[in-house]
């Protein structure tokens, strides 16, 4: 293997340690801790598992963590009033509503009801606009793209002047990571191209990328011969391609593959993220960082 493996699990641990240090210091100096509420509607198993990880991480960092579970048939107006209650609660700095929501609820209305200054997921239109403006305006960059930037920067990959190609233009990954990396700021200042299903020659664009971020959700979409030798390859894709029995638990687990043919790509790239264990661990980590930053904004010490 020639590429350096970018291990999301190691970078996650490094960032969580930094966050814990700051939480302890702020608690000592200001007598407060970050407060995060996770609102879970219904019992979708994937959502339950994701929310459980968020709660565990928040608790391990010493956050005030409120888990608010609501029934599947909650009325939209009741959910909106609940969010409003947390908007007004000074001990809560981050509000997270786990998606997807049941059919009777308008997701957009729910996300737009969260106070933009507590929107630690960064999905409220105000925070999307703040990211677009850039500089000091940015409060809560969306968690997965913010995590991707950390992976790149902490691995020592130069972004300034780099040709970045992002495959995918979703609102949660493609567009925000493109936006983050083109900011006039350290860890950014890149020249960014965004490709999608209507892009005429995807191979051509991938081949000229110094940093290639692939977030398409198509297993093996990026062929090894499309990778520029020495490039940094960030594979965001998480695709379930089968099942296997876990050696640890003896239970059935999903076989996950990325959007890049990892085994061949690692012989050409300079840096590469594995799937799983690359981008995945960064999302909750950056949610914790956004919640800490929300408290710091609140205290005027950001
Ligand atoms: P999405 O909303 O489905 O968007 C996929 C994007 O990829 C679209 O813009 C689409 O283009 C583009 N695309 C699809 N097939 C393509 C092709 N053959 N050639 C070029 N472009 C193509 O997906 P998403 O939510 O951004 O997620 C992308 C992947 O990342 C998924 O596998 C998801 O599971 C994973 N993910 C991982 C994390 C994490 O690890 N924490 C977080 C979020 C997402 P059009 O716009 O033209 O349709």
């Amino acid at each position: 293997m020639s590429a350096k493996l970018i291990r999301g699990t190691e970078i996650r641990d490094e960032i969580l340690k930094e966050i814990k240090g700051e939480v302890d210091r702020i608690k000592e100096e200001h007598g407060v801790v970050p407060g995060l509420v996770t609102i879970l509607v219904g019992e979708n198993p994937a959502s339950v598992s994701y929310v459980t990880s968020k709660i565990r991480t928040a608790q391990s960092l010493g956050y005030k963590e409120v888990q608010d579970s609501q029934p599947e048939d909650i009325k939209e107006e009741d959910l909106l009033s609940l969010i409003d209650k947390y908007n007004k609660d000074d001990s809560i700095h981050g509000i997270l509503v786990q998606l997807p929501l049941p059919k009777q609820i308008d997701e957009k209305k729910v996300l737009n009801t969260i106070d933009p200054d507590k929107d630690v997921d960064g999905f409220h239109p105000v925070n999307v606009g703040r990211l677009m403006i850039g500089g000091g305006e940015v409060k809560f960059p969306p968690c997965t793209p913010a995590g991707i930037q950390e992976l790149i920067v902490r691995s020592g990959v130069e972004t300034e002047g780099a040709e970045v190609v992002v495959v995918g233009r979703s609102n949660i990954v493609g567009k925000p990571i493109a936006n983050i990396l083109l900011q006039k700021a350290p860890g950014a200042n890149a020249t960014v191209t965004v490709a999608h299903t209507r892009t005429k020659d995807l191979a051509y664009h991938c081949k000229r990328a110094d940093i290639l971020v692939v977030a398409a959700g198509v297993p093996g979409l990026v062929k090894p011969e499309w990778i520029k030798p020495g490039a940094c390859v960030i594979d965001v894709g998480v695709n379930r391609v089968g099942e296997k029995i876990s050696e640890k638990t003896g239970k059935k687990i999903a076989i996950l593959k990325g959007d890049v043919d990892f085994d061949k790509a690692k012989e050409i790239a300079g840096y590469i993220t594995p799937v799983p264990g690359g981008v995945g661990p960064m999302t909750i980590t950056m949610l914790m960082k956004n919640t800490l930053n929300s408290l710091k904004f609140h205290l005027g010490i950001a």
Side-chain angles (χ1 to χ4, degrees):
M1 166 157 173
S2 58
K4 180 176 180 289
L5 202 57
I6 300 180
R7 294 179 202 276
T9 43
E10 282 175 13
I11 294 176
R12 170 197 63 195
D13 292 349
E14 190 179 305
I15 297 174
L16 290 180
K17 203 169 151 202
E18 292 166 9
I19 293 177
K20 181 79 173 81
E22 272 207 80
V23 171
D24 292 346
R25 185 180 54 77
I26 292 173
K27 189 177 176 186
E28 209 175 296
E29 290 173 10
H30 299 270
V32 281
V33 295
L36 174 68
V37 59
T38 42
I39 302 176
L40 175 65
V41 179
E43 287 171 2
N44 172 322
S47 296
V48 171
S49 140
Y50 198 44
V51 163
T52 307
S53 302
K54 285 172 187 170
I55 295 168
R56 273 205 208 115
T57 310
Q59 286 172 342
S60 73
L61 295 170
Y63 286 24
K64 170 183 170 175
E65 159 62 46
V66 179
Q67 153 77 81
D68 196 326
S69 295
Q70 295 293 325
E72 180 86 24
D73 60 356
I74 187 173
K75 284 193 198 136
E76 185 179 276
E77 61 197 80
D78 293 338
L79 184 57
L80 299 183
S81 314
L82 188 68
I83 292 170
D84 202 42
K85 183 187 93 173
Y86 290 117
N87 280 342
K88 291 178 182 137
D89 183 340
D90 283 343
S91 71
I92 294 297
H93 309 98
I95 301 173
L96 188 137
V97 180
Q98 185 63 46
L99 302 178
L101 291 167
K103 281 190 276 288
Q104 77 276 13
I105 293 171
D106 179 348
E107 239 170 58
K108 207 162 146 190
K109 227 181 197 175
V110 167
L111 295 181
N112 290 358
T113 301
I114 298 173
D115 177 348
D117 290 341
K118 295 189 179 188
D119 167 44
V120 285
D121 253 340
F123 293 151
H124 191 289
V126 167
N127 285 315
V128 176
R130 284 169 170 166
L131 181 61
M132 184 60 102
I133 295 167
E137 289 292 322
V138 185
K139 274 200 155 173
F140 305 122
C143 302
T144 302
I148 293 171
Q149 184 186 33
E150 290 283 356
L151 291 178
I152 296 170
V153 171
R154 287 179 189 247
S155 300
V157 174
E158 182 59 80
T159 56
E160 181 137 348
E163 288 288 338
V164 170
V165 174
V166 178
V167 183
R169 56 177 164 183
S170 72
N171 289 329
I172 63 163
V173 189
K175 280 188 215 160
I177 188 58
N179 221 329
I180 286 172
L181 293 175
L182 68 74
Q183 300 281 326
K184 193 166 185 171
N189 277 322
T191 304
V192 182
T193 302
V194 182
H196 44 78
T197 55
R198 305 298 193 275
T199 296
K200 276 186 190 152
D201 188 346
L202 187 60
Y204 161 78
H205 290 288
C206 292
K207 276 180 195 168
R208 55 182 192 77
D210 300 314
I211 300 172
L212 180 60
V213 180
V214 193
V218 180
L221 173 67
V222 170
K223 309 288 172 262
E225 60 272 22
W226 298 2
I227 294 166
K228 182 174 169 178
C232 170
V233 179
I234 306 290
D235 190 351
V236 191
V238 180
N239 306 293
R240 285 164 199 270
V241 294
E243 283 183 336
K244 63 178 180 185
I245 303 293
S246 161
E247 281 174 23
K248 265 193 210 160
T249 62
K251 287 185 184 162
K252 261 192 199 168
I253 52 166
I255 302 173
L256 301 178
K257 286 248 187 270
D259 290 349
V260 179
D261 180 346
F262 178 83
D263 289 333
K264 290 186 183 140
K266 73 182 192 310
E267 304 303 331
I268 303 162
Y271 298 80
I272 191 164
T273 56
V275 177
V279 175
M282 297 304 291
T283 304
I284 292 180
T285 307
M286 300 316 288
L287 176 74
M288 297 303 139
K289 189 156 185 183
N290 277 350
T291 308
L292 170 63
N293 283 341
S294 181
L295 170 63
K296 287 163 73 177
F297 289 128
H298 180 77
L299 294 171
I301 57 168

